[in-house]
Amino acid sequence: LLPAGILRCSECSVGLHAHCLGLSPLSAMHITCPTCLASNLNPFSPVVRTAAHPAKLHYLPGTSSHNAGAHAAPSSHTLEFDLPPALYHATLSHGRRFELRCFLASDVVTERGEKSGRQRSSHRWPLQTRLFFNSRETPVGQQPQAWDGHHLKDRHEDTPLVLQGVRPGRNRIIMTACDTQSHVAAIVVTEPRSVSQLIEEVRTKHTMDAAAALSHVKATFGPPADDDDDDDVVAGAVRIGLLCPLSMRRLAVPARGASCRHLECFDLSAFLECAKATAFPRWVCPICSAAAQPVELRVDPWTASALESLPAESSSEVEVQPDGSFAAVPPAAASSAAGGSGRKRRRSLGTVGPGT
């Protein structure tokens, strides 16, 4: 049991003081701590989470609603962190950098059953933010809200701040803003990660085992038909493509999201390359739009085995049976027939009534 007023992050299990984050200590809450929010923000610039590099968190309360408005006085927040000289030099020598990442305080809390913070949070500066780092004004990547005809809405295009001019000893950030919503700021150490490094990490940590991959194949055909049913769906063979829907090239590393229910895959490299080239990637499956953050990707060894068994020149499609067996579709057959689902409805053999 946790002490009173302590909430536990659902991802890293760290304990959080509810009061420090402006939260009510309700046990029914699903909590994603600010450090995990910051870590999940950009897979190509992950947060270094070690004892030597703890995230420095700050709660930024919003302005009172009755003080908000065009002429409201901005709120001011001071964020400080100390950096020992040895840690300063060690951090920079490894190509790491210091970043300030900011989120709505409400992103920390998700009611159970809703999507986790990994899916719903994005970097957001308090409205009208001005920032001074070590006494020098530093511009922040903040996009003005857009008017949709009824309300002002966020564009979700704010970007974190890479802190330039970090020095050994005391560092100070002063932020002024005019926003009624509360925020949480995290000063973190990040390091760059390339597409190839991310591919290797996904392949190492998130490749399905063969049995689970075969079970997924069989599950896409639905439950087995019951001979006692008068009217049921009989699963037949289906055809799936071996080309990536993004690159239109043959799959090299077939993958899909952990929550995807379809059999088709996309190429892991093409997916990550597209995300890398996009300023604000959505991280969803290009086939079904299910969540597809790198930690949620799964490499499919069943499709990989089909690719290895079938020469590239033989066919760009494969015919899959409900038991998981497969065979190449000759190019001529693939071009002359559309790849249907292969599922047929079986009617009852009993008496046919009027009007049928």
Side-chain angles (χ1 to χ4, degrees), residues 22-224:
L23 302 176
S24 174
L26 301 177
S27 59
M29 287 182 176
H30 181 96
I31 302 297
T32 304
C33 73
T35 304
C36 286
L37 289 178
S39 299
N40 297 330
L41 183 65
N42 183 1
F44 297 106
S45 184
V47 172
V48 178
R49 304 183 68 170
T50 65
H53 299 93
K56 184 72 172 178
L57 306 179
H58 298 266
Y59 175 63
L60 312 177
T63 57
S64 301
S65 58
H66 66 272
N67 290 331
H71 304 289
S75 57
S76 180
H77 312 281
T78 300
L79 295 67
E80 295 182 331
F81 63 99
D82 294 316
L83 194 59
L87 181 58
Y88 167 81
H89 293 294
T91 301
L92 298 185
S93 65
H94 285 85
R96 295 169 176 172
R97 57 190 188 182
F98 296 86
E99 288 190 32
L100 177 61
R101 299 182 175 183
C102 194
F103 306 89
L104 283 169
S106 58
D107 282 352
V108 174
V109 180
T110 309
E111 294 298 330
R112 295 192 185 278
E114 294 182 4
K115 291 183 178 180
S116 67
R118 179 185 296 121
Q119 301 305 318
R120 57 193 291 272
S121 65
S122 59
H123 180 91
R124 186 187 191 273
W125 295 109
L127 299 179
Q128 303 178 35
T129 291
R130 291 186 65 188
L131 187 144
F132 297 83
F133 179 50
N134 288 337
S135 302
R136 296 183 61 180
E137 184 167 7
T138 304
V140 298
Q142 182 174 38
Q143 295 296 322
Q145 291 182 305
W147 178 256
D148 67 354
H150 302 280
H151 307 282
L152 286 171
K153 292 188 175 181
D154 291 341
R155 300 176 185 267
H156 301 289
E157 295 180 354
D158 290 2
T159 55
L161 176 64
V162 178
L163 297 174
Q164 304 288 348
V166 176
R167 62 196 182 195
R170 176 67 53 90
N171 291 266
R172 175 176 297 174
I173 298 170
I174 298 177
M175 293 175 59
T176 62
C178 190
D179 197 325
T180 57
Q181 300 185 88
S182 299
H183 290 70
V184 179
I187 301 170
V188 294
V189 175
T190 64
E191 60 184 356
R193 182 162 52 178
S194 66
V195 170
S196 60
Q197 289 174 318
L198 197 49
I199 290 174
E200 185 60 29
E201 180 176 318
V202 173
R203 296 185 68 170
T204 302
K205 296 182 179 180
H206 303 297
T207 295
M208 303 171 67
D209 60 61
L214 181 59
S215 295
H216 180 89
V217 173
K218 295 178 178 180
T220 61
F221 288 89

Side-chain angles (χ1 to χ4, degrees), residues 198-254:
L198 197 49
I199 290 174
E200 185 60 29
E201 180 176 318
V202 173
R203 296 185 68 170
T204 302
K205 296 182 179 180
H206 303 297
T207 295
M208 303 171 67
D209 60 61
L214 181 59
S215 295
H216 180 89
V217 173
K218 295 178 178 180
T220 61
F221 288 89
D226 189 346
D227 293 337
D228 295 333
D229 289 343
D230 290 336
D231 194 22
D232 52 38
V233 174
V234 179
V238 298
R239 291 180 180 180
I240 63 170
L242 298 179
L243 301 181
C244 173
L246 297 172
S247 66
M248 297 309 297
R249 297 179 179 178
R250 188 177 172 89
L251 296 168
V253 183

Side-chain angles (χ1 to χ4, degrees), residues 288-314:
C288 69
S289 297
Q293 280 265 357
V295 295
E296 296 164 310
L297 295 177
R298 298 295 180 267
V299 176
D300 180 16
W302 181 91
T303 303
S305 67
L307 289 164
E308 293 176 0
S309 302
L310 304 175
E313 63 275 6
S314 64

